[in-house]
């Protein structure tokens, strides 16, 4: 995500510029984000390299309180591992560091579980917050639709009764 990361560095100066925001939202739609995850009773590695998740395995994601309204939570996402490691409480002490990789549609599913929005790189170098309302607009955008929404199936030819 180097392009998104670079654009985020200019957010404070350019966020009111519509061309800049178009580029930023385009890169948001293209990006793959690292999401720290935690597990209770981690999966068991199998000989073929895959993992077996038992009934007691629980996988979860951490949230952060929204700085200007601590009654709301936001979903943290990271552009790279360095930005992730800036979050001191991202991982349980003594446990392996585990990540999920998500693109925007998966992040949108997470925020619909009660989050006010997404914050990218919340611990720096430049955190950028996207409200749920803005993300709803992004989801309806041409860029998002072209990237993630499958085109409708072609219509079947109609029968021609005169043929």
């Amino acid at each position: 995500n180097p392009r998104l990361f670079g654009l985020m560095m200019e957010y404070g100066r350019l966020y009111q510029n519509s061309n800049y925001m178009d580029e930023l939202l385009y890169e948001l739609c293209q990006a793959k984000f690292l999401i720290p995850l935690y597990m209770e009773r981690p999966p068991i590695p199998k000989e073929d390299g895959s993992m077996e998740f038992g009934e007691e395995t629980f996988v979860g994601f951490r949230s952060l309180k929204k700085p200007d309204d601590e009654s709301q939570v936001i979903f943290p996402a990271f552009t790279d591992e360095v930005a992730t490691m800036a979050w001191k409480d991202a991982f349980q002490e003594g446990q392996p560091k585990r990540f999920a990789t998500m693109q925007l549609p998966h992040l949108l599913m997470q925020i619909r579980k009660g989050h006010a929005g997404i914050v990218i790189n919340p611990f720096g170098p430049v955190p950028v917050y996207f409200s749920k309302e803005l993300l709803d607009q992004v989801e309806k955008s041409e860029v998002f639709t072209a990237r993630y929404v499958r085109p409708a199936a072609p219509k079947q030819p109609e029968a021609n009764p005169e043929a």
Side-chain angles (χ1 to χ4, degrees), residues 100-162:
T101 302
M102 291 187 188
Q103 288 186 285
L104 189 55
H106 300 104
L107 293 175
L108 294 173
M109 287 191 296
Q110 290 302 315
I111 67 165
R112 291 191 177 105
K113 296 177 182 178
H115 294 86
I118 295 168
V119 61
I120 301 187
N121 296 346
F123 300 96
V126 177
V128 177
Y129 171 72
F130 296 94
S131 69
K132 184 177 179 183
E133 294 76 22
L134 176 59
L135 292 168
D136 286 343
Q137 291 176 14
V138 170
E139 188 175 22
K140 295 173 188 168
S141 73
E142 189 175 314
V143 171
F144 183 92
T145 302
R147 174 105 174 134
Y148 296 111
V149 179
R150 295 183 186 159
K155 288 186 176 182
Q156 295 295 323
E158 292 182 23
N160 185 348
E162 297 178 17

Side-chain angles (χ1 to χ4, degrees), residues 6 29 31 36 39 46 57 66 99 117 130 135 145 150 152 159-160:
C29 289
M39 294 186 182
K46 293 170 56 176
T57 300
K66 191 174 175 198
F99 302 90
F130 296 94
L135 292 168
T145 302
R150 295 183 186 159
N160 185 348

Side-chain angles (χ1 to χ4, degrees), residues 19-136:
N19 290 334
Y20 167 80
M21 285 303 293
D22 288 346
E23 287 294 316
L24 181 69
L25 296 176
Y26 175 84
E27 289 302 324
L28 179 71
C29 289
Q30 308 305 313
K32 293 181 181 176
F33 297 97
L34 290 178
I35 313 297
L37 58 90
Y38 63 91
M39 294 186 182
E40 292 178 14
R41 297 193 177 105
I44 301 162
K46 293 170 56 176
E47 286 183 25
D48 65 1
S50 65
M51 299 292 228
E52 181 178 328
F53 288 83
E55 289 182 27
E56 296 86 28
T57 300
F58 175 80
V59 178
F61 304 104
R62 299 189 186 282
S63 295
L64 296 168
K65 291 186 179 191
K66 191 174 175 198
D68 61 345
D69 182 357
E70 292 201 1
S71 68
Q72 294 185 337
V73 292
I74 52 180
F75 193 82
F78 299 86
T79 56
D80 57 76
E81 196 169 337
V82 172
T84 308
M85 293 307 165
W87 187 8
K88 302 299 181 208
D89 296 327
F91 302 101
Q92 295 172 340
E93 199 170 314
Q95 295 294 318
K97 293 172 175 52
R98 292 188 171 94
F99 302 90
T101 302
M102 291 187 188
Q103 288 186 285
L104 189 55
H106 300 104
L107 293 175
L108 294 173
M109 287 191 296
Q110 290 302 315
I111 67 165
R112 291 191 177 105
K113 296 177 182 178
H115 294 86
I118 295 168
V119 61
I120 301 187
N121 296 346
F123 300 96
V126 177
V128 177
Y129 171 72
F130 296 94
S131 69
K132 184 177 179 183
E133 294 76 22
L134 176 59
L135 292 168
D136 286 343

